[in-house]
Amino acid sequence: MTKGSSMNLHRLCAGLTLAEKVSLLTGRDFWSTRELARIGLRPIVFSDGPSGIRGQAWDERDPSVNLPSASALAASWDRDVAGAYGAVLAGEAQRKGVDVVLGPTINMHRTPGGGRHFEAFSEDPVLTAELAAAYTEGIQRHGIGATPKHYLCNDFETERYTVDVRVSERALREVYLLAFEKAVTGARAWLVMSAYNAVNGATSSENPLLETPLNDEWGFDGVVVGDWTGVRSLNSARYAQDLVMPGPEGPWGEALVKAVEAGEIDEAVIDRKVLRLLRLAARLGKLDGSPLTVPRTTPDVDPVRFAREAAAEGAVLLENRGLLPIDPSGVRRVLVVGHGAAHPRTQGGGSATVVPAHVVTPLDGIRAAFPAAQVAYRPGPLVENGLAYLAPGRMTNPSTGEPGAHVRFLDSEGEVIHTEERRSSDLVWFGGDAPIERAATLEVSTRYLPETGGEIRLGVSTLGLLQVTADGHVVGERHIEPVGTDLGAALLAAPVEAFPLAVHQDRPVELKLTLVLRRADAGLRNALGFRIGLLPPEIDDERLIADSVAAARDADLVVVVVGSNKELEAEGEDRHTLALPGRQDDLVAALAQANPATVAVVNCGAPMLLPWASDVGAVLQVWFGGQEIGAAVGDLLTGAAEPGGRLPTTWPADEAQVPILRIEPVAGQVHYDEGIHVGYRNWLRLGRTPAYPFGHGLGYTTWTLEDLRAPATVDPACGVFTVRVRVRNTGDRAGKQVIQLYGARAETAIDRPVTWLAGFATVRLAAGATGEAELDIPVRTFAHWAGGWAYEPGDFTLTAGFSSAHRPLTATVRVE
């Protein structure tokens, strides 16, 4: 900001009372900060991303664009894609009246067992850092704030509120801090979110790391906002923690005013926090009289088109035995198999979830891509063990006659204090207008039209005392309590209770569900989850597999979609196995034996075991591909789009290979004993060969690397040096390739990785064309942390290739 603007902020701060200052440092409600009209300060509105903007309400009546997951974005290895991704989010934020996006999530894929890896980028600090900076800049160049999170080492979910991560200072600097550093020093992030967990004995919101290196070394002048309910003590006000969310209650408030008045905390500490909040408000146009440093502009990116393109850019072709791409004109019969083909996972579970206006399923996309073919579908064996939400077309609101449900909130006297007409059975209130804190009872009513007759298992996921009635008769009552201590997981993935119910096909049944609200834990008093659906009946998986195999024998092409389910890959819980749930492995193995023209499409957010990968014609990893996942699948199968992705994380062949798999804390601590040897670095150190290495990915053309040129010597003082790699597309169609540059040093007195990613570049060339990738590499790639950045003089090796296991070109660089 300009000097004059800074002086104005100081003047505004000086004119506030202590009580006013402190009041600004805790949120007004779940998603916004407090206003102060007399100085022209308006509320700042936050919203969860990071792969879509939900807004202040989690509501199907105000849908959001659902972009591919962060792991899919990272798989693109493309800064331009990350920048456009941020721009789409900025446009969505503007549309929904949001000022700050709570993303990107840039924690590390330290182990494939992390339950929230779909929301983070990569196991490599350089790849994560470069894309995080591009994402952040893509948001902020349109006048919306970005919030890199979670600072720091929130790399797993187990005991995330209380766990203490023990990690060396060198590993912190070289691995876990790098992405935050790049987002702050490179993209000038306006906010950073502190994590729930502790690092080296200090809770993240009370940790010296908030000051050093974030503020004093990197020059961060923005706001450190706590993860929701993550700021839990008055003591945290002594640290460089600036804002408590959500409000209106919190640990600061009147207690902080008294601490300042008693001389226990200097008022200058409060002033610094207030100045940062005012600076953020000025940047966002929320402070009258302060000019915008970055005017709000409308991004010139079509969100739906971008969602489709981004899904293809991140899709990784793991295997291809000459089957892909397929000319649709030569295909008469296509068989599509798998629950995920008709009900894909477009996003992971938890606070990042948004409600899209539509989802193009793989089945939809394949039918569109093969218009002249007969496309048959078989569900295959059971994958989802949880709720299948009631289809909106099978629900009628008894109040309006429209599709959906009628919702009422009642107070302790039984008086109605709020009503909603909803269009879904997946109901979450996470902020918004519903007076949850004042309500005693929730009622949900709908007229449900069963698709089948007999006994169904109606399932409800919520917390509190629940009664279910059908046609006026009580079906059952349950008292549902949370499992575990993770409040967010309890809200977003509450236990499911089953209510057996006899129904007749196509004969409507009047359902009324009454919930006596449980008095919520502090910080979640304005939040509630209430989900209604059907639980699966007993199904003969063997018969379903046999049915799919029989149909596969007569098909010209078989596409089987496999992946995780709602019980896997969600906020609040880590994975205990990397195996596909249910009998999906048996399904794919049987289909491959029945028909070699079988493509396995993998729909998950993090590494899974694929024991049948060498038996099928092709394996295509599409991650949680967003709302256009099916359209992208059709494009990729036919070659209308190139599978542009490369793995951002190593994929194992079996769990015994994985250097770090189990994440359970011991005595409340997790020790990062591998130090700087994270991800593929650890695999190489231990001499283990994965199923697919970091950086792996195939395409639809062929490539040759022809030349690697690097300076003979570099001086650390120069900051950046340039490496050039010449590459040729030797195939018969245009394509995309990712040039990856790795560093190494054979003779060294320092503990170093066997090799490490130094930089990367994306090239796109026509058939037969030659191009040159120019990579600007920080000299710090050769440095190590020893109380400061230090350099071991001598020769380092640079290798260029297409993955961490394919590095055919070599150059030597001497560090002076």
Side-chain angles (χ1 to χ4, degrees):
M1 301 184 68
T2 65
K3 182 177 179 181
S5 298
S6 180
M7 291 175 61
N8 182 51
L9 299 184
H10 280 82
R11 186 167 56 252
L12 288 176
C13 181
L16 300 178
T17 67
L18 175 60
E20 286 175 325
K21 293 176 187 177
V22 170
S23 72
L24 296 178
L25 304 181
T26 297
R28 176 183 68 173
D29 51 32
F30 212 91
W31 292 120
S32 63
T33 62
R34 285 184 165 94
E35 62 184 339
L36 192 54
R38 75 177 186 86
I39 64 169
L41 177 65
R42 298 186 297 283
I44 296 169
V45 177
F46 296 85
S47 175
D48 273 322
S51 55
I53 305 300
R54 187 172 57 247
Q56 296 185 72
W58 206 324
D59 196 324
E60 74 285 349
R61 295 168 298 179
D62 182 20
S64 307
V65 172
N66 173 200
L67 296 178
S69 62
S71 54
L73 171 60
S76 75
W77 288 64
D78 194 314
R79 298 170 182 84
D80 291 340
V81 172
Y85 193 106
V88 169
L89 294 180
E92 281 285 282
Q94 292 172 14
R95 183 175 67 83
K96 286 178 169 277
V98 167
D99 304 303
V100 173
V101 176
L102 299 176
T105 301
I106 54 177
N107 299 112
M108 298 299 295
H109 292 188
R110 177 176 173 260
T111 159
R116 203 174 177 181
H117 280 351
F118 61 87
E119 193 179 321
F121 283 25
S122 166
E123 70 185 14
D124 182 80
V126 171
L127 178 61
T128 300
E130 290 293 323
L131 298 179
Y135 176 120
T136 299
E137 196 278 330
I139 292 175
Q140 293 189 170
R141 70 170 176 259
H142 296 290
I144 300 294
T147 313
K149 62 182 186 182
H150 309 84
Y151 190 91
L152 190 63
C153 294
N154 182 189
D155 309 303
F156 55 97
E157 296 296 284
T158 306
E159 298 182 21
R160 62 178 177 158
Y161 281 89
T162 58
V163 68
D164 181 17
V165 173
R166 296 288 174 155
V167 56
S168 71
E169 186 178 9
R170 184 179 177 198
L172 280 175
R173 292 287 185 155
E174 295 186 24
V175 178
Y176 299 98
L177 283 165
L178 185 62
F180 289 95
E181 179 181 3
K182 183 76 174 179
V184 169
T185 62
R188 311 306 305 177
W190 295 348
L191 301 94
V192 166
M193 179 186 287
S194 59
Y196 290 130
N197 56 281
V199 179
N200 292 333
T203 300
S204 293
S205 59
E206 305 174 24
N207 200 299
L209 288 166
L210 292 176
E211 184 64 25
T212 302
L214 180 59
N215 287 313
D216 57 9
E217 293 182 23
W218 300 347
F220 178 65
D221 64 357
V223 169
V224 174
V225 57
D227 203 345
W228 266 229
T229 74
V231 181
R232 289 162 286 196
S233 77
L234 175 63
N235 186 54
S236 59
R238 305 177 192 274
Y239 293 84
Q241 175 71 52
D242 302 312
L243 180 62
V244 177
M245 291 296 291
E249 298 177 7
W252 292 359
E254 186 61 29
L256 182 52
V257 172
K258 291 179 179 179
V260 174
E261 290 175 340
E264 297 169 5
I265 297 178
D266 195 310
E267 189 167 353
V269 173
I270 309 304
D271 288 347
R272 191 175 94 152
K273 300 178 192 299
V274 172
L275 284 168
R276 286 170 176 254
L277 186 66
L278 294 176
R279 183 181 298 117
L280 175 63
R283 285 169 168 163
L284 295 169
K286 294 292 183 173
L287 186 61
D288 292 347
S290 294
L292 280 171
T293 52
V294 181
R296 290 202 175 180
T297 56
T298 303
D300 187 22
V301 184
D302 180 272
V304 174
R305 180 184 301 170
F306 175 78
R308 180 173 183 166
E309 294 171 350
E313 287 286 347
V316 183
L317 186 60
L318 296 174
E319 303 272 4
N320 190 18
R321 293 174 178 84
L323 182 57
L324 298 180
I326 299 168
D327 182 355
S329 65
V331 177
R332 294 173 299 153
R333 293 183 299 275
V334 179
L335 175 67
V336 182
V337 184
H339 177 271
H343 306 281
R345 292 199 70 186
T346 66
Q347 56 193 317
S351 62
T353 305
V354 299
V355 182
H358 70 270
V359 170
V360 181
T361 71
L363 182 57
D364 295 332
I366 291 167
R367 283 175 171 155
F370 295 87
Q374 296 177 351
V375 179
Y377 171 66
R378 298 290 187 278
L382 181 68
V383 176
E384 287 287 355
N385 295 314
L387 285 179
Y389 304 128
L390 300 182
R394 292 272 166 179
M395 299 168 59
T396 300
N397 184 325
S399 176
T400 66
E402 299 293 323
H406 181 61
V407 176
R408 302 198 308 170
F409 288 89
L410 293 79
D411 64 16
S412 58
E413 303 298 322
E415 295 294 324
V416 177
I417 56 176
H418 181 73
T419 62
E420 293 182 0
E421 314 302 340
R422 301 299 296 267
R423 294 181 172 272
S424 172
S425 67
D426 178 13
L427 305 175
V428 179
W429 292 271
F430 211 31
D433 297 328
I436 296 168
E437 190 171 357
R438 295 191 292 114
T441 305
L442 169 74
E443 289 182 356
V444 180
S445 303
T446 188
R447 185 177 302 121
Y448 173 60
L449 191 65
E451 295 183 60
T452 60
E455 184 174 273
I456 62 172
R457 298 172 67 218
L458 188 72
V460 184
S461 171
T462 191
L463 297 175
L465 178 60
L466 176 68
Q467 182 187 81
V468 176
T469 66
D471 292 331
H473 301 288
V474 176
V475 176
E477 289 188 347
R478 303 283 194 281
H479 195 89
I480 310 175
E481 289 290 330
V483 176
T485 59
D486 191 317
L487 303 182
L491 166 70
L492 300 170
V496 178
E497 288 288 336
F499 297 84
L501 180 63
V503 299
H504 299 277
Q505 183 175 0
D506 292 331
R507 181 187 297 177
V509 56
E510 300 282 347
L511 295 176
K512 181 179 179 181
L513 300 95
T514 304
L515 178 70
V516 178
L517 296 180
R518 181 178 177 276
R519 286 302 89 198
D521 301 271
L524 290 178
R525 295 193 179 98
N526 291 320
L528 173 65
F530 194 89
R531 294 173 161 99
I532 313 166
L534 299 179
L535 291 166
E538 295 296 326
I539 297 178
D540 183 353
D541 282 344
E542 198 65 46
R543 178 179 60 80
L544 292 173
I545 292 174
D547 181 45
S548 299
V549 169
R553 293 192 178 101
D554 296 326
D556 299 318
L557 173 67
V558 177
V559 182
V560 54
V561 180
V562 297
S564 58
N565 57 27
K566 288 194 288 288
E567 283 70 48
L568 296 174
E569 298 190 88
E571 180 177 352
E573 186 171 351
D574 292 311
R575 296 194 290 164
H576 299 291
T577 178
L578 305 185
L580 292 169
R583 295 192 59 193
Q584 293 180 94
D585 287 336
D586 294 337
L587 171 68
V588 182
L591 290 172
Q593 186 173 13
N595 191 329
T598 294
V599 178
V601 175
V602 185
N603 177 205
C604 61
M608 306 289 285
L609 302 179
L610 311 177
W612 35 259
S614 60
D615 300 324
V616 295
V619 181
L620 186 62
Q621 161 65 2
V622 296
W623 311 100
F624 294 151
Q627 67 181 51
E628 303 300 312
I629 183 173
V633 167
D635 293 340
L636 293 162
L637 293 176
T638 60
E642 170 86 2
R646 306 295 183 264
L647 289 181
T649 301
T650 305
W651 280 47
D654 61 70
E655 291 181 358
Q657 287 186 304
V658 180
I660 306 167
L661 182 62
R662 309 304 292 183
I663 315 172
E664 290 79 358
V666 176
Q669 296 182 344
V670 170
H671 290 255
Y672 285 20
D673 290 335
E674 73 285 353
I676 61 172
H677 303 283
V678 179
Y680 66 94
R681 301 177 178 188
N682 216 357
W683 285 81
L684 292 170
R685 179 177 67 147
L686 298 173
R688 299 177 186 175
T689 302
Y692 303 106
F694 174 79
H696 169 75
L698 307 175
Y700 291 156
T701 187
T702 55
W703 300 85
T704 299
L705 287 173
E706 298 183 341
D707 185 41
L708 166 62
R709 286 173 288 146
T713 62
V714 295
D715 185 335
C718 75
V720 175
F721 65 97
T722 300
V723 173
R724 293 175 174 83
V725 182
R726 191 166 66 245
V727 59
R728 182 186 299 273
N729 180 349
T730 57
D732 58 3
R733 59 172 284 158
K736 168 188 172 181
Q737 185 57 273
V738 178
I739 310 301
Q740 303 170 36
L741 187 75
Y742 292 83
R745 179 154 177 166
E747 300 296 330
T748 179
I750 308 300
D751 177 30
R752 299 184 187 277
V754 174
T755 191
W756 62 89
L757 185 69
F760 61 93
T762 300
V763 295
R764 301 170 194 272
L765 293 174
T770 298
E772 185 172 83
E774 191 172 282
L775 294 78
D776 291 329
I777 307 299
V779 180
R780 213 177 81 185
T781 193
F782 301 129
H784 61 278
W785 183 263
W789 292 109
Y791 292 84
E792 182 185 25
D795 290 342
F796 287 78
T797 300
L798 292 177
T799 54
F802 300 147
S803 77
S804 59
H806 174 275
R807 296 174 282 126
L809 298 186
T810 302
T812 300
V813 176
R814 175 170 288 274
V815 175
E816 297 290 356

